[in-house]
Amino acid sequence: MSENIKKRPIYIKIKDEDNVAITVDKVLEGSQVMEGITAKQDIPQGHKIALCDIPAGGNIIRYGVTLGYAINDIRQGDWINEDMLSLPTPPSVDNMKWGVDIRTDLPKPERTTWEGYRNADGFAGTRNLLGIVTTVQCVAGVLNAAVKRIKDELLPQYPNVDGVVSVTHAYGCGVAINAPEAKVPIRQIANMCKHPNFGGELMVVGLGCEKLTPDRITDRLGSDTVLILQDYKGFGAQVEAIMALAETKLKRLNQRKRETLPLSDLMIGMQCGGSDAFSGITANSAAGYASDLLVSGGATVLFSEVTEVRDGVYLLGERTVDEPTCRKLAEEMKWYDNYLELGGADRSANPTPGNKKGGLSNIVEKAMGSIAKSGTSPIVEVLSPGERPSKKGLIYAATPASDIVCGPCQLASGITLQVFMTGRGTPYGLEAAPVVKVSSRTDLKEMWPDLIDIDAGTIATGNATIPEVGTQLFHFILDVASGKKESWAEHWKLYNDMCFFNPAPIT
Amino acid sequence: MSENIKKRPIYIKIKDEDNVAITVDKVLEGSQVMEGITAKQDIPQGHKIALCDIPAGGNIIRYGVTLGYAINDIRQGDWINEDMLSLPTPPSVDNMKWGVDIRTDLPKPERTTWEGYRNADGFAGTRNLLGIVTTVQCVAGVLNAAVKRIKDELLPQYPNVDGVVSVTHAYGCGVAINAPEAKVPIRQIANMCKHPNFGGELMVVGLGCEKLTPDRITDRLGSDTVLILQDYKGFGAQVEAIMALAETKLKRLNQRKRETLPLSDLMIGMQCGGSDAFSGITANSAAGYASDLLVSGGATVLFSEVTEVRDGVYLLGERTVDEPTCRKLAEEMKWYDNYLELGGADRSANPTPGNKKGGLSNIVEKAMGSIAKSGTSPIVEVLSPGERPSKKGLIYAATPASDIVCGPCQLASGITLQVFMTGRGTPYGLEAAPVVKVSSRTDLKEMWPDLIDIDAGTIATGNATIPEVGTQLFHFILDVASGKKESWAEHWKLYNDMCFFNPAPIT
């Protein structure tokens, strides 16, 4: 980070060896950016300026890392956009080093407890929800009608229950359920049955002729859990049966109370979406600091998004605590490389047009920023998409980078709150767990005051430090987890669909 | 069909050369099924009984077609279940004959007009809907909140508008948008923008940083059509903007009126799901007869589901009107064979457990029943998934067999009503077009009186003929299309998600 933090800087240069910097605000052609360097064109906010001449083929360096190679000669002061550099080959995941970057002096949190709903086993809940998991999309219409009535007619009678979540999805039938990768969506749906925010009072609604039979997702197959629509005499009877079963669950859920719990009972997820060139140095860095505080206090933090760590994966490998964890990290990367290749794509399919508008030239630059949200803690475990952890601490949960798929994957792993960093801005939310939104730029917080919870843009403008915003975020996470505050996405009930990851074919 | 129609039969044998028949009701061990043939075990309703001894390796024949080969010796009177036969190799699609089974004496319909909403170009609408197509799942939360308010606050003021349909979906970002198969989901979403039931008053809601930019799905890019959430100051302003634009559209839509139109302005789709062994001889046969009446009267009828025609595709090839149409049929089959193979699956992934419970042993048997819904008309065109037709008449629209994916694909092709045949029963429905449900068994109609519109089970019990039920269905289709009747799925507002087909990877 440049020296001139605490007064509004013009540019941000991250490492000494960088030959580019990003602009804090839009810079006009001819204006001086730093001593001896004048912008040769108008440069949009957050975009890169060349700090020296870079010949064609030369390395373009930010974060101390080669983002790519200059396609043509670049002059000092030039705006470097995404068309001016070529993508380097991705780093090999074979023979990554492990355990060589294990930090032991993590910052200590001021708070070590929170208020949650204790579960018989595993992590505690941040909300007290009636969860209804479906085996197949066919039931969605009937279930939606029933859930509307449950919310309108029953829920008001059970004030200690926070909501009703129907986990409807596109899977369940018309799928190649014995294909090798079918385990991925099935694992996610099965693990949603165990979600900590559902308090053990599970309902499963199936149709009766689908491929995803209830026994594939739960071993609780009694009539106090599973309801099959084909067993009931038509729509009216189906809705009544769902409501009757829901009421028995609501009665039990209504008796649950929050308790003071150690941070080790909390598991949250980190994700970013609509990123820009500030994301890595503001929002994701603050999230990384909050993550360090949480992990240091005993909590479990998941971070994800394979294509967005792929180009810096060796940095994560060095932080894994043992060889098997490092090897699983490599395996998840290879699996995704192969998955993309089979589909005729590669990691260059990420980033998005919005990322590019925000100054992110390619996936290397996006990855370096994305990894920042993991903070500096050791990585104790690596999960396949939707797997539940067996350890506590910082965990890499492999998922697609797609926001709307990463969310359901992390939910399946059991997160009970998600922190979402955004540069361009997205109203994304989840019904099964509150989502806290952090902006990378103050402009976005000002544009979306009723959607962004925490502004990390103050880090770029010199008004706050990474530890300050990180600590603010840490407290906000615990307040939302404890039910003392609600995030904007939760307040407005902004819920995205449960777009589970299905890499297997449909039939 | 057996001779004993018009009195409740015990069994149904379809072709003289068949060596199996299916039971109309459950048959008990020891009871006589036909002269000289006694059931050797209890046989469930709709399951197959061997009409003669079949040695191991011998052909098991129904519909005059080899369903598979006996794995062990089968005795006369044995119940033949799905574990007793092996799957034959699929028929080659190379060198299929075309134009050799062109029927010219189709039954003539009694009605040749209906009441629809005429569109400036193309097919007419069956409903007058405000359609809001999204570019990305990220906007779903905000749009759902806005649509709830539009339905509650605005729609009642515009009584000639039937509803508001937000086409939210899992596509749009975090996808490999330049992968070879990305054209499939993009085509579906783009064609939804032109849906006949949306009356040309399109709204497109995007986020602003997604990969699926509005220009990829429509050329109507003005502010009277496209609304980008990132352009608005937060949630409140976004909802207000959506509502304001919606109101201008509702005003115009409210002025539309139904007109008497020829059948050539109507396009419907046929689909089956949760099929059983009766489907092919009752519900699908009746649908086929209705299809013949419609096509003979000038209407356009789509039928679909690649894996469910694959094993009888040569029968469709013979009905194609020219060589290019037959070739495209072959190409769609090959594409799907390859798609399944890449995912480590094959056509045996279909049928479902419910199909098997219903007596369908394998995909050959399911396919022979599935094809029946296409009636006997010539096939004038073959469409890739979600393509819009350029001809009128009977059209094969290649889609996955998955009900919830076939529906959105056919909607994208422009159907304004879908007929859905079911044996096991599903509450499936679509918001953008009414869905008419036909049961293959009377038991199902009795079990689900408020979900099944037409019972074709009377064909199996000898109480009605295929032309009788087909004609009843034809009239019901036109009455629902004309807004004179509503189907049960429409009445209860049973809407499945828009699960567009995306064979490309996500990132």
Side-chain angles (χ1 to χ4, degrees):
Chain A
M1 183 86 37
S2 72
E3 300 274 296
N4 49 3
I5 202 122
K6 287 286 179 198
K7 62 175 181 169
R8 188 174 184 94
I10 298 169
Y11 69 95
I12 297 174
K13 179 180 169 183
I14 296 169
K15 290 277 176 79
D16 285 344
E17 58 267 42
D18 292 357
N19 59 9
V20 302
I22 67 161
T23 55
V24 171
D25 297 291
K26 182 177 176 177
V27 165
L28 295 178
E29 179 182 341
S31 59
Q32 183 173 313
V33 172
M34 64 179 83
E35 203 176 312
I37 302 180
T38 302
K40 288 207 161 59
Q41 302 88 24
D42 287 357
I43 304 179
Q45 185 192 37
H47 277 242
K48 287 177 287 298
I49 179 170
L51 303 180
C52 60
D53 290 346
I54 306 171
N59 296 25
I60 293 170
I61 299 168
R62 187 180 174 218
Y63 293 102
V65 164
T66 297
L67 302 184
Y69 306 102
I71 292 172
N72 296 307
D73 289 346
I74 294 171
R75 299 163 304 168
Q76 188 185 59
D78 271 345
W79 169 31
I80 302 180
N81 67 39
E82 69 270 17
D83 298 323
M84 294 168 67
L85 67 173
S86 62
L87 197 61
T89 51
S92 166
V93 295
D94 295 320
N95 307 314
M96 285 195 294
K97 288 183 193 141
W98 60 269
V100 298
D101 182 19
I102 302 295
R103 185 172 171 196
T104 53
D105 60 337
L106 292 170
K108 292 287 169 215
E110 297 164 23
R111 287 159 73 179
T112 56
T113 62
W114 64 297
E115 309 291 313
Y117 292 97
R118 190 193 296 277
N119 285 312
D121 59 347
F123 292 96
T126 61
R127 293 295 179 269
N128 186 25
L129 301 170
L130 170 59
I132 308 177
V133 177
T134 59
T135 54
V136 67
Q137 167 64 212
C138 306
V139 305
V142 172
L143 183 57
N144 290 345
V147 167
K148 186 171 184 310
R149 286 192 54 194
I150 295 168
K151 287 181 176 176
D152 290 348
E153 299 169 29
L154 300 180
L155 196 58
Q157 302 170 42
Y158 301 98
N160 297 333
V161 183
D162 295 315
V164 181
V165 179
S166 60
V167 182
T168 55
H169 52 78
Y171 200 71
C173 207
V175 294
I177 206 151
N178 295 317
E181 300 306 339
K183 63 180 181 290
V184 179
I186 296 170
R187 181 200 297 139
Q188 292 164 76
I189 298 167
N191 284 344
M192 280 307 297
C193 290
K194 302 174 186 165
H195 195 275
N197 282 351
F198 296 165
E201 297 297 337
L202 175 68
M203 277 177 68
V204 171
V205 174
L207 179 58
C209 56
E210 63 273 32
K211 288 183 181 168
L212 189 70
T213 47
D215 59 294
R216 287 182 185 260
I217 59 169
T218 182
D219 51 13
R220 294 165 58 182
L221 297 171
S223 59
D224 59 340
T225 301
V226 176
L227 192 151
I228 299 297
L229 296 190
Q230 285 174 349
D231 292 344
Y232 292 87
K233 285 189 76 70
F235 173 77
Q238 291 162 357
V239 170
E240 292 302 326
I242 295 169
M243 290 182 69
L245 183 54
E247 185 146 28
T248 67
K249 304 286 178 182
L250 288 170
K251 278 182 183 154
R252 286 204 289 266
L253 287 169
N254 199 49
Q255 289 164 20
R256 303 183 81 216
K257 298 257 182 300
R258 288 186 187 271
E259 299 170 53
T260 300
L261 300 171
L263 289 187
S264 57
D265 280 357
L266 179 65
M267 169 160 51
I268 72 153
M270 296 277 187
Q271 191 190 175
C272 60
S275 297
D276 63 13
F278 289 107
S279 294
I281 50 184
T282 62
N284 285 357
S285 291
Y289 192 87
S291 171
D292 283 349
L293 289 174
L294 286 162
V295 168
S296 153
T300 296
V301 176
L302 268 53
F303 72 109
S304 295
E305 303 172 75
V306 171
T307 56
E308 294 188 13
V309 305
R310 180 66 186 84
D311 281 87
V313 66
Y314 52 93
L315 300 170
L316 301 183
E318 292 170 0
R319 289 164 57 195
T320 56
V321 294
D322 53 27
E323 196 272 339
T325 305
C326 188
R327 192 172 57 226
K328 186 160 179 191
L329 180 65
E331 283 163 6
E332 292 296 335
M333 298 296 123
K334 285 183 182 177
W335 184 93
Y336 220 97
D337 286 351
N338 179 60
Y339 164 72
L340 289 176
E341 194 183 331
L342 275 177
D346 61 33
R347 74 205 205 286
S348 72
N350 192 334
T352 68
N355 294 152
K356 291 174 184 170
K357 261 192 238 170
L360 291 175
S361 290
N362 65 18
I363 188 58
V364 182
E365 186 169 18
K366 190 172 177 181
M368 299 318 295
S370 177
I371 286 172
K373 66 169 129 23
S374 69
T376 58
S377 305
I379 296 168
V380 297
E381 191 170 13
V382 170
L383 305 177
S384 297
E387 248 183 350
R388 283 161 66 92
S390 64
K391 295 186 180 161
K392 297 190 176 197
L394 181 67
I395 292 175
Y396 180 72
T399 73
S402 165
D403 303 347
I404 55 147
V405 180
C406 173
C409 278
Q410 285 195 353
L411 278 179
S413 293
I415 64 157
T416 55
L417 180 148
Q418 197 180 43
V419 184
F420 192 102
M421 287 65 73
T422 184
R424 308 299 298 175
T426 159
Y428 165 89
L430 297 168
E431 193 166 14
V435 173
V436 168
K437 222 60 83 38
V438 184
S439 68
S440 73
R441 293 174 300 124
T442 300
D443 297 355
L444 177 61
K445 172 66 181 167
E446 287 168 355
M447 184 74 174
W448 283 14
D450 60 358
L451 285 167
I452 301 296
D453 299 296
I454 302 272
D455 174 30
T458 49
I459 295 167
T461 53
N463 294 315
T465 62
I466 289 169
E468 282 166 6
V469 180
T471 303
Q472 179 195 3
L473 176 58
F474 167 80
H475 285 292
F476 191 72
I477 290 167
L478 293 189
D479 287 346
V480 172
S482 302
K484 291 174 184 163
K485 290 184 179 168
E486 59 177 7
S487 69
W488 280 116
E490 188 177 24
H491 178 74
W492 299 122
K493 301 186 191 301
L494 300 178
Y495 307 139
N496 281 97
D497 297 343
M498 289 296 278
C499 302
F500 290 120
F501 181 34
N502 179 18
I506 61 171
T507 61
Chain B
M1 181 88 35
S2 73
E3 300 275 296
N4 48 3
I5 202 123
K6 288 286 177 195
K7 63 177 182 172
R8 189 175 183 93
I10 297 169
Y11 69 95
I12 298 176
K13 180 180 170 183
I14 296 170
K15 289 276 175 82
D16 285 344
E17 59 266 42
D18 292 357
N19 58 10
V20 302
I22 67 161
T23 54
V24 172
D25 298 290
K26 181 176 176 177
V27 165
L28 295 178
E29 180 185 339
S31 58
Q32 182 173 314
V33 173
M34 64 181 82
E35 202 176 314
I37 302 180
T38 303
K40 288 209 161 55
Q41 301 88 25
D42 287 356
I43 302 179
Q45 185 193 37
H47 278 244
K48 287 179 287 300
I49 180 170
L51 303 181
C52 59
D53 289 347
I54 305 171
N59 296 26
I60 293 169
I61 299 168
R62 187 182 172 216
Y63 293 101
V65 163
T66 296
L67 302 183
Y69 307 102
I71 292 172
N72 296 306
D73 288 345
I74 295 172
R75 298 165 303 168
Q76 188 186 58
D78 271 346
W79 168 31
I80 301 179
N81 67 41
E82 69 271 15
D83 298 324
M84 294 166 68
L85 66 174
S86 62
L87 198 60
T89 52
S92 166
V93 294
D94 296 320
N95 308 314
M96 284 194 296
K97 290 183 193 139
W98 59 268
V100 298
D101 182 19
I102 302 296
R103 186 175 170 192
T104 53
D105 60 337
L106 292 170
K108 292 287 168 215
E110 297 163 26
R111 286 161 71 180
T112 56
T113 63
W114 64 297
E115 309 292 313
Y117 293 96
R118 189 192 297 275
N119 284 311
D121 59 347
F123 292 96
T126 61
R127 294 292 179 271
N128 186 25
L129 301 170
L130 170 59
I132 308 177
V133 177
T134 59
T135 54
V136 66
Q137 167 64 212
C138 306
V139 306
V142 172
L143 183 58
N144 290 345
V147 167
K148 187 174 183 308
R149 285 192 54 196
I150 295 170
K151 287 181 177 178
D152 290 348
E153 299 169 29
L154 299 181
L155 196 57
Q157 302 170 41
Y158 302 96
N160 296 334
V161 183
D162 295 315
V164 182
V165 179
S166 61
V167 182
T168 55
H169 52 78
Y171 200 71
C173 208
V175 293
I177 206 152
N178 295 316
E181 299 306 340
K183 63 179 181 290
V184 179
I186 296 170
R187 180 200 298 140
Q188 292 164 75
I189 298 166
N191 283 344
M192 280 308 296
C193 291
K194 301 175 188 164
H195 195 275
N197 282 351
F198 296 165
E201 297 298 335
L202 176 69
M203 279 178 66
V204 171
V205 174
L207 179 58
C209 57
E210 64 273 31
K211 289 183 181 170
L212 189 71
T213 47
D215 60 294
R216 287 183 185 259
I217 58 168
T218 182
D219 51 13
R220 296 166 57 180
L221 297 171
S223 60
D224 59 339
T225 302
V226 176
L227 192 151
I228 299 296
L229 296 190
Q230 285 174 350
D231 292 344
Y232 292 87
K233 285 189 74 71
F235 173 77
Q238 291 162 356
V239 170
E240 292 302 327
I242 294 169
M243 289 181 69
L245 184 54
E247 185 146 28
T248 67
K249 304 286 179 183
L250 288 170
K251 279 181 185 154
R252 285 204 287 267
L253 287 169
N254 199 49
Q255 289 163 20
R256 304 183 81 217
K257 299 257 183 298
R258 287 186 188 270
E259 298 170 53
T260 300
L261 299 171
L263 289 186
S264 56
D265 279 357
L266 178 65
M267 168 160 52
I268 73 153
M270 295 276 184
Q271 190 190 175
C272 59
S275 297
D276 62 13
F278 290 106
S279 295
I281 48 182
T282 62
N284 285 357
S285 291
Y289 192 86
S291 171
D292 283 348
L293 290 174
L294 286 161
V295 168
S296 155
T300 296
V301 176
L302 268 55
F303 72 109
S304 296
E305 305 172 74
V306 171
T307 56
E308 295 189 12
V309 305
R310 180 67 185 84
D311 280 87
V313 67
Y314 53 92
L315 299 172
L316 301 183
E318 291 170 1
R319 288 165 56 194
T320 56
V321 294
D322 54 27
E323 196 272 337
T325 305
C326 188
R327 194 172 55 226
K328 186 159 180 192
L329 180 66
E331 283 163 6
E332 292 296 334
M333 298 296 122
K334 284 183 181 177
W335 184 94
Y336 220 98
D337 286 351
N338 180 59
Y339 163 73
L340 289 175
E341 193 183 331
L342 274 177
D346 60 34
R347 74 203 206 287
S348 73
N350 192 335
T352 68
N355 294 151
K356 290 174 184 170
K357 260 192 240 170
L360 291 175
S361 290
N362 65 18
I363 187 60
V364 182
E365 187 170 16
K366 191 172 176 180
M368 298 319 295
S370 178
I371 286 173
K373 66 167 129 24
S374 68
T376 58
S377 305
I379 296 168
V380 296
E381 190 169 14
V382 169
L383 305 177
S384 297
E387 248 184 348
R388 283 161 66 93
S390 65
K391 295 189 179 159
K392 298 191 176 196
L394 181 68
I395 291 176
Y396 180 71
T399 72
S402 165
D403 304 346
I404 55 148
V405 180
C406 172
C409 279
Q410 286 195 352
L411 278 178
S413 293
I415 64 157
T416 55
L417 180 149
Q418 197 180 45
V419 183
F420 192 103
M421 286 65 72
T422 184
R424 309 298 298 172
T426 160
Y428 165 89
L430 297 167
E431 194 167 13
V435 173
V436 168
K437 223 61 86 34
V438 183
S439 68
S440 72
R441 290 175 302 123
T442 300
D443 297 356
L444 177 61
K445 173 64 182 169
E446 286 168 357
M447 185 73 174
W448 283 14
D450 59 358
L451 285 168
I452 300 297
D453 299 296
I454 302 273
D455 174 28
T458 49
I459 296 168
T461 53
N463 295 313
T465 63
I466 290 169
E468 282 166 7
V469 179
T471 303
Q472 179 195 4
L473 176 58
F474 167 80
H475 285 293
F476 192 71
I477 290 168
L478 293 190
D479 287 345
V480 172
S482 301
K484 291 175 185 162
K485 290 184 177 169
E486 61 177 5
S487 69
W488 280 114
E490 188 176 24
H491 178 75
W492 298 121
K493 299 185 192 303
L494 300 178
Y495 307 139
N496 281 97
D497 296 344
M498 289 296 279
C499 302
F500 290 121
F501 182 34
N502 179 17
I506 62 172
T507 62

